[in-house]
Amino acid sequence: MATINKIEKALAILSQHDWYWMMCDSNNAYFNARGNMRAFVELVASINNSAVIKAMRDLWSAKYQYVHNRCDIETFKAKEAELMTIITMAA
């Protein structure tokens, strides 16, 4: 799979991920979210560009921080834009 396809698939996983799985009573939600996270990690690890790998991992962390109210929307959007620039320039 080409790097750009891997990036697109990883970004799709990121956007569809259930960030609140740990608060859910259903085991299905937990296992689905856990599976998404593992798929993202494995897909990103298969990319042959260390700058893209780091940016994708940082993007995951930034999204987690934002969803769990550890940063505001402006901080998240700035970080997201910075990381997407790195990803698109390196891909």
Side-chain angles (χ1 to χ4, degrees), residues 21-52:
W21 63 267
M22 66 188 134
M23 297 179 214
C24 187
D25 293 334
S26 167
N27 277 343
N28 287 341
Y30 168 80
F31 288 117
N32 288 339
R34 194 83 177 149
N36 275 350
M37 185 173 60
R38 291 191 58 81
F40 180 87
V41 168
E42 290 171 7
L43 192 56
V44 169
S46 71
I47 296 171
N48 293 326
N49 185 317
S50 60
V52 172

Side-chain angles (χ1 to χ4, degrees), residues 6-25:
K6 290 177 185 179
I7 291 170
E8 288 173 352
K9 188 168 181 168
L11 291 173
I13 292 169
L14 179 75
S15 69
Q16 297 170 1
H17 183 67
D18 179 5
W19 295 96
Y20 298 103
W21 63 267
M22 66 188 134
M23 297 179 214
C24 187
D25 293 334

